Structure formats: structure tokens, C-alpha cells
């Protein structure tokens, strides 16, 4: 299930990032122990990885902490993966409901 959810988030993130502006003007930062395939995915659409706190796209893993609201208000894109205090600060909380996805078609 985690793998399916991760893939769905990757597709959503790629669509959002590529549709906002030319990808060449964006940088990203992946924070957390499990980097997954975020670097590969974001680089494939032209984003450049940075270690600086000025990244335009920030990927936060499960359990992430910190205050990212000001960054989002200034235009940063925050990708949340799993339950975390950061997700809760944006009003995103887990429930017992589950969603099964049988297929995704990119039209």
C-alpha cells in the first residue's frame, strides 16, 4: 500500500511542478532518512537538487517537524509523505478510511 501511495504522490507532484512554471527555474530539497526516488523523479522533470533552505520544492518524509507555512505562503511547494507534525499543521490528519486505486491514466 505504501508503494502505491508513494507512486500516486509522485504523479501528483510531477503534475503540479511541471504545470506551474518552467522546471529550469526550480530547485528541490529532499529531507528525511528515506529519500526514495524523489531525487530521480524531480531531476527527470528538470529540477536541480540543492542543500540550501531556499529550495522551491521541499519533500518531507514521515515524522517531519518544523514550520513550513511561511515557505508555502512565499510560493514553495511542500510534498508531504506520511503522517507528521508538519502535515497536522496544515490540517492533514490520518483517518481509518482507506482508498483503493485500481489504475491511473495520464491523459
Amino acid at each position: 500500500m505504501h508503494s502505491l501511495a508513494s507512486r500516486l504522490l509522485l504523479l501528483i507532484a510531477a503534475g503540479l511542478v511541471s504545470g506551474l512554471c518552467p522546471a529550469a527555474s526550480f530547485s528541490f530539497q529532499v529531507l528525511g532518512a528515506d529519500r526514495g526516488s524523489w531525487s530521480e523523479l524531480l531531476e527527470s522533470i528538470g529540477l536541480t537538487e540543492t542543500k540550501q533552505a531556499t529550495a522551491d520544492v521541499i519533500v518531507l518524509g514521515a515524522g517531519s517537524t518544523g514550520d513550513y507555512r511561511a515557505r508555502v505562503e512565499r510560493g514553495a511547494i511542500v510534498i508531504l509523505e506520511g503522517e507528521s507534525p508538519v502535515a497536522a499543521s496544515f490540517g492533514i490528519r490520518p483517518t481509518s478510511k482507506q482508498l483503493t486505486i485500481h489504475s491511473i491514466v495520464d491523459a
Side-chain angles (χ1 to χ4, degrees), residues 27-29 50 52-58 71 76-77:
S27 62
F28 71 91
Q29 183 176 27
T50 183
Q52 298 178 14
T54 57
D56 302 295
V57 178
I58 306 131
R71 298 271 308 271
I77 297 169

Side-chain angles (χ1 to χ4, degrees), residues 31 58-72 78-93:
L31 301 174
I58 306 131
V59 180
L60 301 173
S64 294
T65 60
D67 184 9
Y68 290 88
R69 187 166 301 279
R71 298 271 308 271
V72 169
V78 174
I79 299 172
L80 302 168
E81 189 175 43
E83 184 179 356
S84 70
V86 177
S89 76
F90 285 103
I92 301 169
R93 292 178 177 69

Side-chain angles (χ1 to χ4, degrees), residues 41-58:
L41 170 85
L42 296 172
E43 286 173 352
S44 76
I45 59 172
L47 278 70
T48 306
E49 187 163 12
T50 183
K51 302 292 183 200
Q52 298 178 14
T54 57
D56 302 295
V57 178
I58 306 131

Side-chain angles (χ1 to χ4, degrees), residues 2-64:
H2 174 72
S3 178
L4 181 59
S6 294
R7 289 183 197 153
L8 181 59
L9 285 174
L10 290 173
L11 291 171
I12 292 169
L16 288 174
V17 172
S18 64
L20 290 177
C21 287
S25 65
F26 277 99
S27 62
F28 71 91
Q29 183 176 27
V30 181
L31 301 174
D34 182 13
R35 297 177 53 80
S37 10
W38 286 110
S39 293
E40 184 179 335
L41 170 85
L42 296 172
E43 286 173 352
S44 76
I45 59 172
L47 278 70
T48 306
E49 187 163 12
T50 183
K51 302 292 183 200
Q52 298 178 14
T54 57
D56 302 295
V57 178
I58 306 131
V59 180
L60 301 173
S64 294

